[in-house]
Amino acid sequence: MAPRIGSLWDAVGNTPLLRIGSLSRLTGCEILGKAEFMNPGGSIKDRAAKGMILRAETDGRLPPGGTIVEGTAGNTGIGLGLLGRERGYRVVVTMPDNQAREKYEYLEAIGVEVRKVPAVPFSNPNHFFHAARTLSEQHGWFWANQFENPANGDFHYETTGPELWEQCEGRLDVLVISVGSGGTISGVSRYLKEKNPALRVVLVDPHGSGLYSYVREGKMETTGSSITEGIGIMRVTENFRRSRVDEAMRLSDQDMLEMLYHLAKEDALVVGTSAAINVRAAYDVARQHRGQGLRIVTLLCDHGSRYASKVFNAEFLASKQLVVKPLPT
């Protein structure tokens, strides 16, 4: 039978679920990662982009030839850029000026207009979120608003969750997941908890984010900062509000980095920082249940090539007092 012919739009989703061999062997648990870096834009944010564009088209907020504007750390902008440009839209993104240069270069290459803003706290009116909203109000553009737009989480409920359930044949014990906008955890946790109420959902948070404290103590507090990109927030977004979370973990950049390099060298998985912190948390959960055969699932959010100038750069790591160490066993 001839292969089905489609477009970038059609290529979003249905990503493979990979067994992470080295970690599964070390722990006696099955650690699985959904290869979201295999989406056409190279990240899980393609799903959010598709869901938000589709709903906006359906309800008339995004007319033919219109403009999409979004505040992003990069990956959502890339997803909106690829899918939006393919469908004939102008795409404008506001981004903090401290992200990996590969993201800016990629966005500009596909015709997205990048407007860099200072990397400031959310309370500052110059924050990339507020900058996108302001442009939308000034020009009448469609603001994707990934943090508060429920179409983000709903698309994960409709696609990512069912894919995982089918791929796992209904058998999974733990879901480990970090939070950026809250869309993935919202949709996936809701769907899988409906299928299996006993599923344990573990949120993993970097330093500088308040969700760890919020889940455990009901208040937004944090310490330190992190070099991870695209995850960690200091507020409860509309998407995150609808998630179903049982517990939370907080991991350091050093924890993340150890896993990042381990995956590259031992499993040939070159992933980004959010994927590395996800897998490190899954590994730590598995170590707590060594030899029990738990099936632990997480998300490989994007590819590590997008961060080569940072986490795979010795000078950058030295500037952050980070040293690559072996993964503890």
Side-chain angles (χ1 to χ4, degrees), residues 16-286:
L17 186 63
L18 308 179
R19 182 178 185 271
I20 304 178
S22 70
L23 305 180
S24 298
R25 289 189 295 270
L26 281 170
T27 61
C29 292
E30 190 173 22
I31 299 178
L32 307 175
K34 192 152 172 60
E36 290 298 296
F37 57 81
M38 295 182 72
N39 281 301
S43 88
I44 196 168
K45 292 295 189 176
D46 288 2
R47 294 185 190 258
K50 184 173 181 176
M52 293 186 295
I53 290 173
L54 184 60
R55 185 167 297 179
E57 290 175 342
T58 302
D59 64 21
R61 288 178 296 150
L62 185 54
T67 298
I68 301 168
V69 63
E70 179 63 329
T72 170
N75 281 334
T76 304
I78 290 170
L80 288 167
L82 283 176
L83 301 179
R85 296 292 295 151
E86 183 187 45
R87 292 170 86 79
Y89 302 117
R90 177 188 179 197
V91 181
V92 179
V93 301
T94 58
M95 285 180 66
D97 59 10
N98 65 341
Q99 302 299 287
R101 64 177 175 80
E102 290 87 351
K103 292 181 180 179
Y104 305 119
E105 292 167 352
Y106 192 117
L107 285 161
E108 289 165 354
I110 61 175
V112 173
E113 298 174 40
V114 179
R115 305 194 183 188
K116 297 180 185 178
V117 297
V120 295
F122 184 76
S123 58
N124 189 309
N126 292 320
H127 188 276
F128 66 87
F129 175 90
H130 306 306
R133 179 183 59 195
T134 298
L135 286 170
S136 172
E137 292 169 349
Q138 290 174 343
H139 302 287
W141 297 340
F142 165 64
W143 177 29
N145 193 10
Q146 60 176 313
F147 295 90
E148 308 300 333
N149 187 343
N152 176 356
D154 289 348
F155 197 73
H156 285 287
Y157 179 91
E158 296 160 6
T159 65
T160 321
E163 287 172 31
L164 278 170
W165 184 253
E166 182 178 351
Q167 288 168 322
C168 290
E169 298 180 321
R171 190 178 74 79
L172 63 164
D173 301 297
V174 185
L175 172 70
V176 178
I177 193 165
S178 55
V179 176
S181 65
T184 305
I185 197 170
S186 169
V188 176
S189 68
R190 281 187 286 130
Y191 183 88
L192 293 180
K193 281 278 199 178
E194 288 176 9
K195 290 291 188 179
N196 175 17
L199 175 72
R200 179 178 163 200
V201 177
V202 180
L203 180 154
V204 55
D205 218 25
H207 287 276
S209 175
L211 294 180
Y212 169 81
S213 176
Y214 179 79
V215 170
R216 292 170 62 94
E217 303 171 17
K219 53 187 177 182
M220 282 284 182
E221 292 182 349
T222 192
T223 58
S225 61
S226 174
I227 64 170
T228 55
E229 297 186 15
I231 58 171
I233 48 178
M234 283 296 293
R235 66 190 192 280
V236 178
T237 67
E238 175 60 23
N239 277 297
F240 181 71
R241 185 185 65 78
R242 302 196 300 163
S243 64
R244 299 181 62 183
V245 180
D246 297 302
E247 58 190 272
M249 302 170 61
R250 176 181 283 160
L251 296 181
S252 68
D253 284 345
Q254 185 64 52
D255 296 327
M256 177 276 295
L257 197 67
E258 291 166 3
M259 182 57 74
L260 185 88
Y261 276 78
H262 176 91
L263 289 173
K265 292 179 179 179
E266 301 298 329
D267 296 278
L269 282 172
V270 181
V271 298
T273 53
S274 57
I277 201 171
N278 278 349
V279 178
R280 178 56 191 265
Y283 175 64
D284 286 354
V285 170

